[in-house]
Structures are given as structure tokens and as C-alpha cells.
Amino acid sequence: MKTADLHIHTTASDGRFSPQETVTAAKKAGLSVIAITDHDTLDGLFELLRLQDPISPLESPLKIIPGIEFSTDVPNHEIHILGYQIDPQNTALTKQLKLLIDDRVARAKKMVRKLADLGYPIDYQRVETIAGQSTAIGRPHIARALIEKGYFLRIADVFHHLLQTDGPAYVPHYKMKPDVVIDLIHSSGGVAVLAHPAMVHDDSWVHKVIEYGIDGLEVYHPTHTLEATMRYIKIAEKNHLLMTGGSDFHGIPGRFPERLGIFTVETTLADLLLAKKIPDDSITL
Ligand code: AMP
Ligand code: ZN
Ligand code: FE
Ligand code: FE
């Protein structure tokens, strides 16, 4: 059976595999369609476009859907919105991405200062080195710097003690309101999907996002129970929304899934997503 994974992070944000390594791993895993959905950046996609080499021997063709994941500004709720098939050259989008990325740098520096005050000094320079090619510097990069220093053993422990949203070293980053994100995705020619709706922990917000004009719900996600999946399928059907799914792969040891291909969805879902937008400007590598 042909399979797809419509939610994947790379080193362009806080994933551990480069876009190229992700493509290779996806092919090895036998996937037919993937979407790269890094936080606040399209750099992974640009890297793949640069690497696109029509004469390289391909084990299997892999369709790559351009995507992105935005966190939104709703206090006390994790409302993440995925944008698919956006025009990477869109001016308004490019401008907004620069604001988000610049703020991530300022915010990371603030968190490093807070950590020093809390007795966990690390060099900001080290965080930047760990982030490598990622411009979307995030908490996972800071967590790795803390682990390197020997303060903690696991990323989950760092979040638990310091970096989770109510943790002492947490600093929020600049986010847009969900309706603004949806409008931005639409004006960039894309399709907006509410990521892991169960993580919102409040279905009244799911309904509000539907009112704002979301196009789909990510009904299949590793954090979803069967009950949650069934509930969001029903909500999607009732509201004539697309249904999508993905593994939210980061390549982080100890965080499921540790490799691509073990949490997949049928390619029909990707076909329906692509059919929402004409022409299909995904790339094949
Ligand atoms: P940021 O965008 O910098 O606020 O970081 C958010 C990212 O941190 C998420 O996309 C996850 O990859 C990661 N994350 C959030 N909460 C946890 C947690 N409790 N344990 C491990 N990673 C987490
Ligand atoms: Zn992430
Ligand atoms: Fe998310
Ligand atoms: Fe994600």
C-alpha cells in the first residue's frame, strides 16, 4: 500500500535529520508522499529545491509537498496550524517569516539569560552551533545545550524542569493569532490544517478555528488516542473539512516515532489535500 507522512520536521527547524537525509530516509521507508512542515520556515524546502538533481539515480520517486507549521497566539492552548502548498515566494509570507525568525533569536537569548539566573549557565553561541543551519531556533536546541553541559540526561527532563510553558526559563515567542495565520496561508495560495487537534485540549477552540476558515484537521497524529481520532474524523466530516495525518517526526531519540515509515497515512489523504489547490506545484525528487 502506498503511504504518506504529512507532518515532518528537519534541521531547518528543530528536527535532527537534514532535508536531504529526510528524503533518503523516506524513500528507504517506502513512502510515496511526504510534507516537510518545519516551524516558521521554508528553508528545508529551499534546500531541497537547490539540491534537486534530475539525473541522480532515484530508488523511487517521492512527492514532496511544501509545508510549514505555525504556533499561534492563544494563551494556555497549543494551537498549531499547518500550511500546505503555499507559494514560497509570497511577499507577505516572506515578511512575516522574517519577523518570526528574528524574534526566535531574541527570545532564545532571553531564555539563556534566564537559565543563567536559575543556575544553569550556557553559552548562547553554543545554542546557535547546535541549531546549525536552523534559523528557527527553539527550545529543543537550548535543551540540547543544557544536556551537553551535563545538567540533564533527557530532553523531556529539561522541558519538565525548565522549558515547558509554565517552566521558570520559558519565554514565549512571537506568534500570530490563528485567524491571521489562516488568512496568511490562504493569501499565499495554501491550504490550512489544524495540527494535532487533541493537543489543543479544548474542542471549543477547535470549533472556533473551524469558524475562522480552517480547511482541514490533522486527525491522525501519534499523540491521538483512537477515541480522539474518531471524534475529529466526525467533526471533519460534519464540517466538510479535509482530513490529514502525519508522524510529527523530529528524529529525536526517545520521542516517537524514532524513524520515518512507522506512522503513516494513506496517500488518498495527500491526494485530497493537493486537489484543494490547482495547479499542483509540489516537487518530485
Ligand atoms: P519552541 O517552538 O521553541 O517553543 O519549541 C517547541 C518545540 O519543542 C516543539 O515543536 C517540540 O518539538 C518541542 N517540545 C515541546 N514540548 C516538549 C516536551 N515536553 N518534551 C520534548 N520536546 C518538547
Ligand atoms: Zn518541533
Ligand atoms: Fe505542533
Ligand atoms: Fe510539528
Side-chain angles (χ1 to χ4, degrees), residues 7 9 37 39 69 196 248 250:
H7 190 155
H9 297 271
T37 53
H39 303 283
E69 181 175 18
H196 40 67
D248 212 347
H250 282 72

Coordinates of all heavy atoms in Angstrom, one line a residue, residues 7 9 37 39 69 196 248 250, ligand 4:
H7 N 3.5 15.4 8.0 CA 4.0 16.3 9.1 C 5.4 15.8 9.6 O 5.6 14.9 10.3 CB 3.0 16.2 10.3 CG 3.2 17.2 11.4 ND1 2.2 17.6 12.2 CD2 4.3 17.9 11.8 CE1 2.6 18.5 13.1 NE2 3.9 18.7 12.9
H9 N 9.5 17.3 10.6 CA 10.4 18.4 10.8 C 11.8 18.0 10.4 O 12.2 16.8 10.5 CB 10.4 18.8 12.3 CG 9.0 19.3 12.8 ND1 8.7 20.6 12.7 CD2 7.9 18.7 13.2 CE1 7.5 20.8 13.1 NE2 7.0 19.6 13.4
T37 N 7.3 20.1 7.1 CA 6.5 21.1 7.8 C 7.3 21.7 9.0 O 6.9 21.5 10.2 CB 5.2 20.5 8.4 OG1 5.5 19.3 9.2 CG2 4.2 20.1 7.3
H39 N 8.9 24.4 11.7 CA 8.3 25.5 12.4 C 8.8 26.8 11.8 O 10.1 27.1 11.7 CB 8.8 25.5 13.9 CG 8.5 24.3 14.6 ND1 7.2 24.0 15.1 CD2 9.2 23.2 15.0 CE1 7.2 22.8 15.7 NE2 8.4 22.3 15.7
E69 N 4.7 24.8 9.7 CA 3.9 24.7 10.9 C 4.0 26.0 11.8 O 5.2 26.4 12.1 CB 4.3 23.5 11.8 CG 3.4 23.4 13.0 CD 3.6 22.1 13.9 OE1 4.7 21.5 13.7 OE2 2.7 21.8 14.7
H196 N -2.6 18.4 15.1 CA -2.9 17.6 16.3 C -4.0 18.3 17.2 O -3.7 18.8 18.3 CB -1.6 17.4 17.1 CG -0.7 18.5 17.2 ND1 -0.9 19.7 17.8 CD2 0.6 18.7 16.6 CE1 0.1 20.6 17.7 NE2 1.0 20.0 17.0
D248 N 4.7 13.8 12.7 CA 5.4 14.9 13.5 C 6.8 14.5 13.8 O 7.3 14.7 14.9 CB 4.6 15.2 14.8 CG 4.7 16.6 15.2 OD1 5.6 17.3 14.7 OD2 3.9 17.0 16.1
H250 N 10.6 14.2 14.3 CA 11.7 15.1 14.6 C 13.0 14.4 14.6 O 14.1 15.1 14.6 CB 11.5 15.8 16.0 CG 10.5 16.9 16.1 ND1 9.2 16.7 16.0 CD2 10.7 18.2 16.2 CE1 8.5 17.8 16.1 NE2 9.4 18.8 16.3
Ligands
FE4 FE 5.2 19.5 14.5

